[in-house]
Amino acid sequence: MRYAGTKRYCRVCERRASAFLPFGMPVREDVRCPFCGSLERHRLVWRFFEDHTDLFDGRPKRMLHVAPEASFEQRFRRLAGLDYTTADLLDPNVMVQMDLTDIPFSDGTFDVIYCSHVLEHVPDDRQAMRELRRVLAPAGWAVIQVPITAPETIEDPTITDPQERIRLFGQDDHVRRYGPDYSDRLREAGFAVDEIQVADLAPASAIERERLDADETVFRVTRAVS
């Protein structure tokens, strides 16, 4: 009853609320769904999945979900036709524990890959990108999201001090801060990249109601033709 109302709408759990919760460091007000825990980026990507992909058409697909968000995982497990695999390096509750730079699957295994806010934690992100491309089916697609928080990507593998990482990269477990040149790294790894902006996915009224980040970009990739 505390959140009874209709001002906010979460497309992930399909529930309405009077407001969202604060979240983050520094704190962002009115962003976290009180029911499923989704944030701005989750609601945006879910909107993209529903409106601009074939993920929900019921046809057979194999999907790899890296570092699975709980609210997404529950929905994906129920999707008709989806052969669904969760993976993470450290989480003991996933189906496969793996290093993203050495993915233990054959070439072209997955029709769909979703990997969000992971690469900023990976020291060799270029190798991780190459591995994601390798296991993506020739006709498959992936959404590979990172936070874009700098004019250009900055990194220094010699920096291991937690406080210095916080100062430079935003979190003590981040090893870089990405800029708009992130797309160039994806292309270097062999991907064709589509950058989809929020305005292309939602009208202004939905951006406000769902509390989407107007500056967010969805990075949809496919295997580039050699």
Side-chain angles (χ1 to χ4, degrees):
M1 293 298 296
R2 179 180 177 186
Y3 302 102
T6 60
K7 186 177 180 181
R8 298 287 175 247
Y9 176 65
C10 176
R11 196 155 174 174
V12 180
C13 66
E14 300 178 339
R15 299 184 69 173
R16 301 180 187 279
S18 57
F20 289 147
L21 301 174
F23 184 83
M25 292 292 290
V27 173
R28 307 188 305 281
E29 297 294 335
D30 197 14
V31 296
R32 186 176 186 181
C33 175
F35 305 111
C36 73
S38 72
L39 300 172
E40 308 99 300
R41 65 178 183 267
H42 304 131
R43 294 187 289 274
L44 178 65
V45 168
W46 195 265
R47 171 179 278 271
F48 174 75
F49 286 155
E50 287 192 321
D51 295 349
H52 298 275
T53 77
D54 59 358
L55 187 57
F56 301 94
D57 66 8
R59 291 181 292 181
K61 299 176 189 66
R62 295 195 68 182
M63 179 179 183
L64 176 64
H65 188 178
V66 182
E69 302 90 340
S71 57
F72 279 18
E73 183 176 355
Q74 294 168 19
R75 298 288 302 275
F76 287 147
R77 285 182 181 274
R78 298 195 297 266
L79 281 185
L82 193 65
D83 183 353
Y84 177 64
T85 300
T86 59
D88 193 87
L89 178 62
L90 301 175
D91 186 351
N93 298 312
V94 294
M95 299 174 186
V96 179
Q97 285 191 273
M98 70 179 198
D99 184 337
L100 203 58
T101 64
D102 186 20
I103 299 176
F105 291 96
S106 301
D107 296 3
T109 295
F110 298 101
D111 304 293
V112 178
I113 297 174
Y114 176 51
C115 177
S116 178
H117 286 228
V118 175
L119 291 176
E120 65 272 20
H121 301 267
V122 179
D124 192 352
D125 65 330
R126 287 183 167 90
Q127 174 61 17
M129 292 175 188
R130 289 191 291 268
E131 279 290 275
L132 288 168
R133 183 195 181 278
R134 180 183 64 79
V135 299
L136 183 65
W141 57 270
V143 170
I144 308 176
Q145 297 293 102
V146 298
I148 305 297
T149 58
E152 63 180 359
T153 300
I154 57 171
E155 59 187 337
D156 185 342
T158 68
I159 296 173
T160 58
D161 176 70
Q163 292 304 312
E164 188 65 1
R165 282 185 170 180
I166 291 173
R167 186 181 73 82
L168 290 174
F169 308 135
Q171 288 185 201
D172 61 8
D173 58 348
H174 284 188
V175 297
R176 71 183 56 78
R177 191 185 292 270
Y178 284 106
D181 56 325
Y182 168 64
S183 291
D184 296 332
R185 293 195 180 207
L186 291 169
R187 294 186 183 98
E188 289 168 8
F191 286 116
V193 183
D194 289 325
E195 298 182 32
I196 302 102
Q197 308 303 319
V198 176
D200 299 321
L201 298 173
S205 58
I207 292 173
E208 173 60 22
R209 184 173 64 251
E210 299 173 27
R211 291 291 288 161
L212 307 179
D213 182 347
D215 296 322
E216 186 87 5
T217 299
V218 174
F219 295 91
R220 179 191 184 274
V221 301
T222 55
R223 292 179 64 162
V225 177
S226 299

